[in-house]
Amino acid sequence: MSYPSRQAALSPDLRALDATLPECAACPRLVEWRQEAARVKRPAFRDWEYWARPVPGFGPVDARMLLVGLAPAAHGGNRTGRMFTGDRSGDALVAALYDLGLASQPTSTHRGDGLELRGVRFTSPVHCAPPAHKPTPAERDTCRPWLVREMELLHPTVRTVVALGAFGWQAVLPVLALGGWHVPRPRPAFGHGLRVELAPAEGDAAPLAVYGCYHVTPRNTFTGRLTPAMLREVLRAAAQEAGLATR
């Protein structure tokens, strides 16, 4: 059994999972890249001590809505040690959540900045920053046990999943199938605003709704492919279906 599989399976709760995950070194290319980014740094961050480890999920352990991205940014999460923190993607996402009443503040700059998510949790299929922000399929699959275990631990409370981008969509559907939810075959293709309802896993009373949303990359937000209104629309729908109050 691989390190991710073994250690993820041994984690009794989300706090333990989040504490164990940063010790993973299963993907040599990603280990090298995350450490290289921390060594070279960007001039704006030359005084930072980079996290330079796998970045765990962030948010309450009883979250009702899960946001699934791609991977930490080399000078974002890999620097700060928190998902969607310290980069423009995080700026856009947290501002939208704040507008909806799902975050305690509109900014996400560093661990310890006071940010709290309300009923929402961030995670990703790949927990290390990849070169060119493009993990390989093998790296995605090696990292998968962490996401599988995270979904198992969230099973009692999670009601909606928002996949940010095609990579997150394609990565999370097999994980949900492993968790017992009934994913349609063939698997539906990603689309912004798409909603797919998964039949309940055995013993569940409620289905799980999976929403597609363009990723909050600067390329999407700066070009208008994903506007703040479009982002808020998907997040509001998913939050309300999960039973979260929005404004």
Side-chain angles (χ1 to χ4, degrees), residues 7-165:
Q7 295 306 115
L10 289 173
S11 299
D13 53 44
L14 274 174
R15 291 187 179 89
L17 187 78
D18 292 345
T20 301
L21 188 149
E23 304 307 316
C24 185
C27 299
R29 188 182 78 115
L30 299 187
V31 172
E32 181 180 359
W33 175 251
R34 76 194 192 209
Q35 293 175 347
E36 175 70 5
R39 184 185 67 80
V40 175
K41 303 183 179 181
R42 282 185 175 168
F45 306 129
R46 61 180 179 273
D47 295 329
W48 275 78
E49 181 178 347
Y50 276 50
W51 174 260
R53 291 184 282 164
V55 181
F58 173 68
V61 298
D62 58 351
R64 299 185 66 83
M65 181 167 82
L66 183 67
L67 301 181
V68 180
L70 192 161
H75 303 284
N78 186 57
R79 171 173 60 91
T80 63
R82 194 172 71 190
M83 290 277 179
F84 289 107
T85 300
D87 59 26
R88 288 171 175 168
S89 295
D91 292 344
L93 182 58
V94 173
L97 290 171
Y98 176 77
D99 288 346
L100 295 172
L102 300 173
S104 62
Q105 61 192 42
T107 58
S108 177
T109 58
H110 62 280
R111 297 193 320 279
D113 63 3
L115 175 65
E116 295 181 2
L117 301 180
R118 296 166 178 162
V120 178
R121 182 174 170 88
F122 297 154
T123 193
S124 61
V126 176
H127 288 273
C128 291
H133 213 57
K134 293 181 179 179
T136 67
E139 289 162 349
R140 176 202 62 202
D141 294 347
T142 297
C143 206
R144 180 173 289 163
W146 297 113
L147 185 55
V148 169
R149 184 58 178 154
E150 191 169 15
M151 284 304 306
E152 289 174 349
L153 294 169
L154 285 169
H155 201 133
T157 60
V158 71
R159 292 296 176 263
T160 59
V161 173
V162 178
L164 297 169

